[in-house]
Amino acid sequence: MVHATHRRRMMPPAHARRARRHTLVTFLAGVAVLAAALFAWLANAVMNHALIEPNTALELSVHAQATPTLDTFFKLLTHVGSVPV
C-alpha cells in the first residue's frame, strides 16, 4: 500500500502530461523567438551590406589555401552533392 504522504506528492498522470506539454511548448516558443531574432539580425546585416567585408576576408583566406589537390577534392565533393548522385 502507498503511504498517504507519498500519494499526495505524486502528480496525477493527466497533470504530469500537461506539465510536460507546457514545458515543451515553452521551449519551442523560445527557440522560435531566438530563430526569428537571428533571422532579423541577419536580414538587417544583409540589407546594410555589413557582411561584405568579413565575407571577402574569409573568401581571400580560403582562396590562399587553394591547391590543385584541394580543387579536385572539392569538385568531387560538389559532384557527390549534385542532384543525379
Side-chain angles (χ1 to χ4, degrees), residues 1-84:
M1 185 166 166
V2 177
H3 191 270
T5 58
H6 179 68
R7 192 179 312 137
R8 270 185 249 134
R9 282 186 277 156
M10 290 186 346
M11 204 184 285
H15 188 279
R17 283 192 300 272
R18 278 193 304 272
R20 280 194 302 267
R21 192 173 354 173
H22 178 70
T23 302
L24 179 62
V25 167
T26 303
F27 172 75
L28 292 176
V31 168
V33 167
L34 194 61
L38 180 62
F39 178 79
W41 173 83
L42 185 58
N44 184 47
V46 168
M47 293 300 292
N48 293 321
H49 306 288
L51 299 177
I52 292 175
E53 189 176 316
N55 186 45
T56 302
L58 178 64
E59 181 182 343
L60 291 174
S61 67
V62 168
H63 186 67
Q65 306 301 319
T67 64
T69 304
L70 281 176
D71 288 346
T72 303
F73 170 74
F74 283 110
K75 284 178 186 176
L76 176 66
L77 196 62
T78 300
H79 177 71
V80 169
S82 67
V83 173

